[in-house]
Amino acid sequence: NEKKKSKGKRSQCSPSRVLHIRQIPNGVTGAEVVSLGLPFGKVTNLLMLRGKGQAFLEMASVDAAVSMVNYYTPATPHLHNQPVYIQYSNYKELRTDNQHNQARPQPALQCANAMQHGNLGITSALAAEGGVLPSHGSVLRIVVENVFCPVTLDILYQIFSKFGFVLKIVMFHKNNQFQALLQYADAMNAYYAKMSLDGHCIYTGCCTLRIDFSKLTNLTVKYNNDKSRDFTRIDLPFGDGQRTMEADAIYTFPGPSVLPVPGALGPFMVTTSAAPGHMTIPSIPGNSVLLVSNLNPEAITPYGLFILFGVYGDVHRVKIMFKKRGIALVQMADATQAQLAINYLNGQRLYGRVMHATLSKYHTIQLPREGQEDKGLTKDYSNSPLHRFKNPCSKNFQNIFPPSATLHLSNIPPSVTVDDLKNLFTSKGSTVKAFKFFQKDCKMALIQLGSVEEAVHALIELHNHDFGENQHLRVSFSKSSI
């Protein structure tokens, strides 16, 4: 009876940054448990109770834990294809000082956090704690063995982009082996991908991945075709590349196969079509819908998310959850733009909260049915004139930078003065630290504000500001400072 009472109390306990995870299958690693929490914020500690199939996961904040529970309550997460259950713990923090093997976060936990939040400073902490010190770059060398099914560049992209933003891929044959070089935006992404994928098969029983670190620090890609691709530049020519493998060839192999990629983003799956033995090759665009959580429900609007995420790609639809205003879905034009937005906006402060962005389980945002109560929380922007990347030759593709305190202003009318612009930004609550017109083009300027968060707010408020006579201000983040 006492046990039943305690179980009843636990299910009703108040929000805590420590979460209790139950029914964890045998063989699940600590890194896989940690990856459940990464989309929602930094994970600060982990306690695995392997004999009981349970774990305690400590998030950096209660807000992150609440976002995680709110997301996984209606959409049960799976580890090794089995459901696991998450609830708040009675503990307010994890204290594991008396257990030598749990005295500090495991290297896997630290590496996973570094991968998610781009914190390369974690390497020194790893060295000090006796952990694995990644002394490598961001380029992986991938050898695929037993290639009895097609392996395309798009398949490699979909698999490896689960672990971070993939910049470039080059495929080739060497020593009678199928090989590829793949460059991440961050060295920790490369480390985490290698640790997770090395030795796994893309398909059941074939196409085994052998992964190590390349001595190269940067890949040079001249053509975007079936053998090579630079995902940061769509302006590259196709060149004379030939298809590495015919995607429409027919292969006979057993059923749908799953590559066991850990984490809340779900496994990569190869599906078969109705024709026996015929495989449908996944291709970009893949999933382009983002789950954005820990938003400030008092301040956030669909238009605000449209403008902010529109810095990194063309936003087609936005939906703020009707009953959970702190969670939203953002649908980008394609999977590459979705990954770019995650890479730059996950962990960014917005209206006083640290925003979390990850891929959603949904592949499209449904517009509300006629008569359905929505209160304007779902918006379709697919035909908006404010898209920055409609023109494939646009210079905007070459000027994508992370959020910064310095903003680049363009399309400024000749009649607008320095004071006019300073007063405009001050009226929106910004602190103007510095301002400079471009010498060669007085239609452009740099303005430095008090903080990155201030600049984010100002960009949302003032991008497309109407100066009159159909002249609108253009605002973007700058890599420069004044």
Side-chain angles (χ1 to χ4, degrees):
N1 287 340
E2 289 300 320
K3 285 184 179 179
K4 288 181 180 178
K5 286 180 182 177
S6 65
K7 282 184 180 179
K9 287 179 183 177
R10 175 166 291 186
S11 63
Q12 299 172 8
C13 60
S14 59
S16 162
R17 61 191 186 97
V18 179
L19 301 173
H20 181 215
I21 305 174
R22 299 177 289 114
Q23 297 189 23
I24 299 173
N26 290 333
V28 170
T29 66
E32 289 173 287
V33 174
V34 168
S35 66
L36 291 175
L38 287 177
F40 306 94
K42 185 176 181 181
V43 179
T44 52
N45 212 340
L46 171 70
L47 177 62
M48 294 283 289
L49 305 176
R50 297 188 185 280
K52 297 182 178 180
Q54 300 180 27
F56 289 94
L57 192 72
E58 181 185 85
M59 304 298 291
S61 68
V62 174
D63 282 345
V66 170
S67 296
M68 184 173 170
V69 171
N70 286 346
Y71 179 71
Y72 285 133
T73 298
T76 305
H78 287 66
L79 291 174
H80 292 196
N81 296 321
Q82 294 186 37
V84 295
Y85 300 94
I86 300 174
Q87 62 191 30
Y88 298 116
S89 167
N90 285 327
Y91 300 109
K92 298 303 177 187
E93 63 177 326
L94 283 183
R95 293 185 179 179
T96 52
D97 297 339
N98 296 328
Q99 302 177 36
H100 180 70
N101 64 337
Q102 292 287 350
R104 48 190 172 260
Q106 298 86 340
L109 167 61
Q110 295 186 335
C111 288
N113 272 320
M115 178 277 297
Q116 184 71 13
H117 297 282
N119 180 13
L120 293 178
I122 201 73
T123 54
S124 59
L126 281 169
E129 298 296 325
V132 180
L133 180 62
S135 55
H136 57 78
S138 58
V139 180
L140 295 177
R141 185 176 74 96
I142 304 160
V143 176
V144 185
E145 299 176 347
N146 302 319
V147 186
F148 300 125
C149 296
V151 178
T152 66
L153 188 147
D154 290 349
I155 285 179
L156 290 179
Y157 174 83
Q158 288 204 15
I159 294 171
F160 283 84
S161 64
K162 299 290 186 184
F163 298 90
F165 183 53
V166 175
L167 298 179
K168 305 169 186 177
I169 301 177
V170 177
M171 301 195 314
F172 54 94
H173 279 86
K174 184 177 180 181
N175 301 328
N176 293 322
Q177 288 181 317
F178 177 98
Q179 298 190 28
L181 293 170
L182 183 145
Q183 183 178 346
Y184 278 105
D186 193 310
M188 293 308 298
N189 301 141
Y191 176 80
Y192 196 60
K194 180 191 183 302
M195 294 300 103
S196 301
L197 296 176
D198 187 28
H200 282 306
C201 296
I202 298 177
Y203 306 102
T204 304
C206 71
C207 300
T208 306
L209 295 170
R210 303 296 180 194
I211 305 170
D212 57 23
F213 298 108
S214 171
K215 294 179 181 178
L216 297 173
T217 57
N218 185 53
L219 297 182
T220 301
V221 176
K222 296 181 179 179
Y223 304 110
N224 279 343
N225 54 38
D226 295 314
K227 286 185 178 180
S228 63
R229 198 168 302 168
D230 184 335
F231 293 97
T232 67
R233 296 187 60 189
I234 67 167
D235 58 315
L236 292 179
F238 185 82
D240 58 355
Q242 301 297 316
R243 295 194 67 83
T244 306
M245 286 193 172
E246 290 301 322
D248 55 356
I250 295 178
Y251 296 83
T252 303
F253 63 98
S257 307
V258 176
L259 176 73
V261 178
L265 304 184
F268 168 80
M269 182 173 286
V270 178
T271 58
T272 52
S273 65
H278 187 274
M279 185 174 69
T280 302
I281 301 294
S283 61
I284 299 172
N287 188 2
S288 59
V289 179
L290 303 175
L291 171 72
V292 187
S293 58
N294 202 37
L295 299 169
N296 185 335
E298 303 298 323
I300 200 63
T301 63
Y303 179 78
L305 291 172
F306 164 68
I307 293 296
L308 178 58
F309 280 78
V311 173
Y312 301 104
D314 291 339
V315 177
H316 284 191
R317 290 178 180 177
V318 177
K319 180 183 182 69
I320 295 176
M321 299 303 184
F322 186 75
K323 293 184 179 179
K324 298 174 182 176
R325 303 291 174 90
I327 299 176
L329 297 174
V330 177
Q331 183 173 337
M332 309 295 289
D334 59 44
T336 303
Q337 294 180 1
Q339 287 289 348
L340 197 64
I342 290 173
N343 193 51
Y344 285 124
L345 293 178
N346 181 51
Q348 174 59 49
R349 287 188 66 86
L350 179 64
Y351 300 124
R353 294 192 178 188
V354 177
M355 173 175 57
H356 307 307
T358 184
L359 288 179
S360 167
K361 65 177 182 178
Y362 300 105
H363 287 261
T364 187
I365 294 176
Q366 298 293 336
L367 296 176
R369 297 184 300 273
E370 189 175 348
Q372 181 180 355
E373 188 178 13
D374 180 70
K375 293 188 177 179
L377 297 176
T378 305
K379 295 290 186 180
D380 188 336
Y381 297 104
S382 53
N383 295 316
S384 172
L386 296 184
H387 287 166
R388 297 176 187 247
F389 305 98
K390 287 185 295 185
N391 182 356
C393 299
S394 171
K395 290 184 179 180
N396 290 336
F397 285 101
Q398 306 303 315
N399 294 295
I400 297 175
F401 305 111
S404 64
T406 304
L407 295 173
H408 179 275
L409 311 181
S410 60
N411 207 36
I412 303 170
S415 59
V416 174
T417 66
V418 172
D419 288 339
D420 290 336
L421 288 166
K422 285 183 177 180
N423 291 336
L424 176 63
F425 279 81
T426 302
S427 71
K428 299 300 180 181
S430 300
T431 305
V432 178
K433 296 285 188 180
F435 184 92
K436 182 177 73 174
F437 270 112
F438 279 52
Q439 287 184 347
K440 294 182 179 180
D441 189 347
C442 62
K443 291 183 179 179
M444 295 194 294
L446 296 177
I447 187 167
Q448 186 176 331
L449 304 183
S451 67
V452 175
E453 186 176 5
E454 272 191 27
V456 170
H457 298 167
L459 182 142
I460 291 173
E461 289 284 333
L462 293 174
H463 179 64
N464 200 47
H465 173 77
D466 189 355
F467 285 116
E469 298 182 7
N470 201 29
Q471 292 183 307
H472 295 81
L473 181 67
R474 297 287 179 260
V475 184
S476 57
F477 297 115
S478 173
K479 67 175 179 180
S480 306
S481 57
I482 303 175

